[in-house]
Every structure is written in C-alpha cells, then in structure tokens.
Amino acid sequence: MGKEWADARRDANVARLRATLATALAGQTGITFELGCGHGHWLAAYAAAHPEEFCVGIDLITHRVERSVRKQTLGKLDNVIFLKAEATEFLEALPAEVSLAKIFILYPDPWPKKKHHKNRFISAANLDLLARRAAGGTRLHFRTDNADYFAWTGEHLAAHPQWQVEPDVTWPFEQKTFFEERMKDR
C-alpha cells in the first residue's frame, strides 16, 4: 500500500508540473535551471542581469518558493519562474523540447554524515537524468562551503562519463545567496 500511494503521489506531482510547465515554458527551448533555489536571491539577481535567458528555480520548501516569487514580482522579472518541486519530478515533467542550458546547484544541504550521503542529489542516476535533459555543452555549476562535500561531488562528477570537471572555469555570476550569507556568521 505504501509504495502504491507514493507512486500515485509522484505521478500526480509530475502531471501537475507537466501542466504548469507546458504553459510557463511555452516557446522556450533552453532554460537556466537552479536546483534548490532557496529564497530566490541568487536566481532573481541572475535573471535581472541576464534578461535574454529564461530561468527556472525549484525548491521543496513552500515558504522559500513564496519568497522567491515575491522577488520575481517585486523585480518585475518576466524571465524567471519559481516552483515548488522535487528535482527528479521536475526533470521528468520538463517538456521534451526544452533543454537545460545552464545548471546551478548552490549550497545544498551537504548531508555530512556518511549514512546520509544517499540523500545528496549528486548521484550517478541523477547525473544521468541531468545529462539527458541538458543541451550540448551545458555546464553544471556547483558551489558549497563544505570542503568534504565539494571533494565528494568532484569525485562523482569526474567518475561520470557525461560530465567533466573544469576547475579553471570562471564562475558565471557572483551574487551571494541567503544561505551563503547566513553561514558566514557561524
């Protein structure tokens, strides 16, 4: 019963996202994607600085998405949307004609205990999924303030046949995130 209920819930989430994205991304062929957008500080600033790009930020926490939407509204940004969504459901619901042009994962929960590493988004299966939805030449930009997590992620990316680590690439846009600011006080 539990698995059936979970599968039905996932299917409903994907269907809801598919309908939302069909409208929101009509006419788009490539998007700048932030997985785990938090309160939307970084992506709203990025969208304002890059009006030629259409940006999508997702997060699992409702109040974070609501704060992100407020930033989009106050900034009168018509090239960014924020959605409450789980990453794999979002990627499954993404219209076939829309690819990921840029991918950003900024300061995700590092799940530092080894027994929790299974909760980290970066995994072979999720990297496969991102690669299937990415356009040719798409870069996955990853930042964390946790050195162990950074090294761990680099190892997983380097081991994956469809991604390569480019350590000398200039970061494409500097704007502190809410969580980055919060962590510097600790």
Side-chain angles (χ1 to χ4, degrees):
M1 183 76 170
K3 173 129 172 60
E4 290 174 8
W5 180 82
D7 288 347
R9 182 175 178 193
R10 182 179 183 6
D11 291 347
N13 288 344
V14 170
R16 177 187 51 81
L17 281 166
R18 193 170 278 134
T20 298
L21 293 172
T23 302
L25 300 179
Q28 300 298 326
T29 57
I31 61 171
T32 296
F33 174 57
E34 185 180 8
L35 190 159
C37 63
H39 297 150
H41 295 282
W42 189 87
L43 193 59
Y46 182 92
H50 298 86
E52 72 286 357
E53 295 180 33
F54 194 85
C55 305
V56 178
I58 66 168
D59 205 285
L60 287 173
I61 313 269
T62 301
H63 80 271
R64 289 181 186 170
V65 175
E66 290 168 346
R67 286 181 167 196
S68 298
V69 169
R70 281 197 294 270
K71 287 172 185 62
Q72 181 267 334
T73 303
L74 290 171
K76 297 181 171 108
L77 301 170
D78 60 2
N79 66 323
V80 63
I81 61 170
F82 295 98
L83 302 169
K84 181 178 178 180
E86 190 275 332
T88 62
E89 293 173 359
F90 172 85
L91 293 168
E92 185 178 328
L94 192 64
E97 67 276 8
V98 179
S99 63
L100 305 175
K102 294 179 183 170
I103 303 165
F104 293 92
I105 303 174
L106 307 176
Y107 302 94
D109 185 336
W111 294 99
K113 294 180 180 176
K114 189 161 182 126
K115 68 181 181 180
H116 293 147
H117 286 188
K118 66 183 182 293
N119 297 328
R120 292 177 173 181
F121 180 78
I122 300 295
S123 68
N126 288 338
L127 289 172
D128 285 344
L129 184 55
L130 284 172
R132 280 195 302 275
R133 299 313 321 252
T138 294
R139 287 194 168 123
L140 187 162
H141 303 276
F142 178 86
R143 266 193 174 167
T144 179
D145 52 1
N146 184 300
D148 291 337
Y149 191 20
F150 186 79
W152 184 92
T153 299
E155 290 169 12
H156 281 74
L157 287 167
H160 197 277
Q162 293 172 293
W163 296 100
Q164 59 185 342
V165 176
E166 298 176 352
D168 298 327
V169 172
T170 303
W171 190 258
F173 183 72
E174 290 296 342
Q175 171 73 27
K176 292 216 183 285
T177 71
F178 171 82
F179 295 101
E180 183 180 9
E181 282 290 319
R182 194 168 154 197
M183 292 309 291
K184 81 175 187 183
D185 296 334
R186 291 184 178 187

